[in-house]
Structure formats: C-alpha cells, structure tokens
C-alpha cells in the first residue's frame, strides 16, 4: 500500500501531538519536592508517586518517532516517483524550514531528557549525607517547555513536507514540459518542413 503525503503528514502530526501531551502531563505530575526523613547521620528523601519519569521518556520517544517520520517523509517516493535531492534543496525556504525543524527537535530532546534523567536520579539516589538537604526534584518548567518545542518541531516538519509536495509538482511539471518540447521539435523537423525544402536537404 502506497503512502500518500496526507497520510504521512497525519503520522508526523499525531506523533508530535502525543509527545506534547505526554510532556505536559509529565510536567503537571512532577512533585515540587520530597519529604526529608532524618536518620542517623543521613537524610532519606521520600517522594510521592512520580510518573513524570516514565511520561518524560514517552514524550521523548514520540518526539524521536515524529522527527524520523518527518525526515523520511521529505524523501519518500510518493506514487512511486522519486525526486533528486538537488531538486528539493534548490528551494531556500525548504532548507530554512528543514534546519529549523532539526534544531527544534534537538532542543526539545534536550529539554525533555534533562529533567527526566535528573528526576530519575533524584528518585534513585534518595539518601543524602547532607542533613540540610530539602529533597529537590528536577527543575520546574523544562518538561512543559520541551513539550511545546516538540509540538513546534512537528509543525515545522509538516511545513517542510508541504514545501516538498510543491517542489515535487514543479519538478515533474518541468520534466513533462521538457519531454514535450523535445517531442515537438522532432515533429517539426520530420513533418513540418515544406516539400521544396525537404528536396534541397
């Protein structure tokens, strides 16, 4: 079954929205701080139920899936017809949006992974010898920011895909015009010349 541009755009958009949703939920579910329990020379931090680590990794996974799908969608041979990459990269706007999509995907990945890994470390290393520790959690706002940038990245991939669709149509129109032009010249040379000119050839 051949994949169409519309189907690929739905895949990229859906993955981007899922990454956004999981990132926002992870931000909302993250506790502000843990409860310090003082022991003999140590402080044990007790944290409430914290699904933000799993949700953060899910958001990151959907971001990566959206990025891979978005990148592959630009060069997929729709309707069995492939376009040379040189024809696509002639467009300045296409280059700009692809670079923005890649940059925003990298930024979103950093914003999602940094607090997720930090939170995981806080939960696993909850015994502290510093008796004044306040049982911190990952920095607030990073997961939410990463979720929004992840959604932006998916939107930039969709814009790039629209530009590719236009570039494909222009490319195949040029190829069709060139083939018709050559065919027309053959017809003119073979049949369009007057009889007295043919005799002098």
């Amino acid at each position: 079954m051949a994949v169409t541009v519309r189907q690929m755009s739905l895949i990229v958009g859906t993955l981007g929205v899922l990454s956004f949703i999981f990132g926002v939920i992870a931000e909302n579910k993250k506790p502000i701080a843990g409860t310090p329990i003082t022991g003999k020379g140590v402080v044990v931090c007790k944290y409430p139920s914290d699904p933000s680590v799993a949700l953060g990794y899910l958001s990151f996974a959907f971001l990566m899936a959206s990025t891979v799908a978005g990148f592959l969608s630009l060069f997929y041979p729709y309707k069995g017809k492939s376009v040379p990459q040189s024809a696509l990269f002639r467009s300045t706007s296409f280059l700009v949006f692809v670079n923005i999509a890649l940059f925003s995907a990298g930024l979103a990945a950093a914003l999602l992974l940094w607090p997720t890994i930090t939170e995981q470390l806080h939960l696993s290393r909850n015994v502290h010898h510093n008796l004044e520790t306040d049982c911190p959690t990952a920095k607030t706002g990073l997961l939410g920011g990463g979720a929004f940038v992840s959604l932006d990245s998916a939107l930039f991939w969709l814009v790039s895909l629209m530009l590719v669709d236009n570039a494909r149509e222009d490319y195949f129109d040029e190829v069709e015009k060139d083939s018709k032009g050559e065919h027309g010249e053959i017809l003119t040379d073979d049949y369009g010349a007057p009889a007295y000119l043919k005799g002098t050839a």
Side-chain angles (χ1 to χ4, degrees):
M1 179 180 171
V3 181
T4 63
V5 173
R6 177 171 294 188
Q7 289 172 332
M8 191 62 83
S9 63
L10 282 174
I11 292 171
V12 174
T14 301
L15 292 172
V17 169
L18 288 172
S19 175
F20 168 74
I21 291 172
F22 282 118
V24 169
I25 296 175
E27 180 65 50
N28 291 331
K29 294 293 184 181
K30 187 183 73 66
I32 298 174
T35 303
I37 300 173
T38 305
K40 190 175 182 181
V42 295
V43 172
V44 179
C45 292
K46 185 178 181 181
Y47 292 96
S49 178
D50 186 5
S52 61
V53 174
L55 293 171
Y57 282 125
L58 276 174
S59 179
F60 172 75
F62 280 111
L63 166 65
M64 289 295 99
S66 174
T67 302
V68 171
F71 186 80
L72 293 179
S73 71
L74 303 181
F75 308 104
Y76 183 83
Y78 299 100
K79 298 179 182 179
K81 298 178 180 179
S82 59
V83 177
Q85 292 185 10
S86 58
L88 298 178
F89 286 108
R90 280 186 300 187
S91 171
T92 304
S93 56
F94 171 73
L95 276 174
V96 169
F97 276 100
V98 168
N99 284 320
I100 292 174
L102 286 171
F103 174 77
S104 58
L107 180 60
L111 289 174
L112 289 172
L113 277 181
W114 181 14
T116 301
I117 294 173
T118 302
E119 187 73 4
Q120 186 177 14
L121 291 175
H122 283 311
L123 294 176
S124 60
R125 302 176 183 177
N126 62 338
V127 178
H128 303 276
H129 294 284
N130 180 9
L131 300 180
E132 297 180 359
T133 185
D134 53 357
C135 297
T137 57
K139 189 173 178 62
T140 302
L142 291 179
L143 281 168
F148 278 99
V149 179
S150 178
L151 182 61
D152 290 340
S153 174
L155 294 176
F156 283 123
W157 284 121
L158 292 178
V159 173
S160 301
L161 183 54
M162 287 167 43
L163 293 172
V164 162
D165 193 31
N166 293 336
R168 285 175 59 85
E169 291 180 4
D170 293 341
Y171 173 78
F172 290 121
D173 285 344
E174 288 178 8
V175 170
E176 189 176 349
K177 285 179 182 177
D178 290 343
S179 62
K180 283 183 178 179
E182 292 173 2
H183 187 59
E185 288 174 7
I186 293 172
L187 288 175
T188 302
D189 292 341
D190 290 349
Y191 304 103
Y196 65 89
L197 289 178
K198 288 182 180 179
T200 59

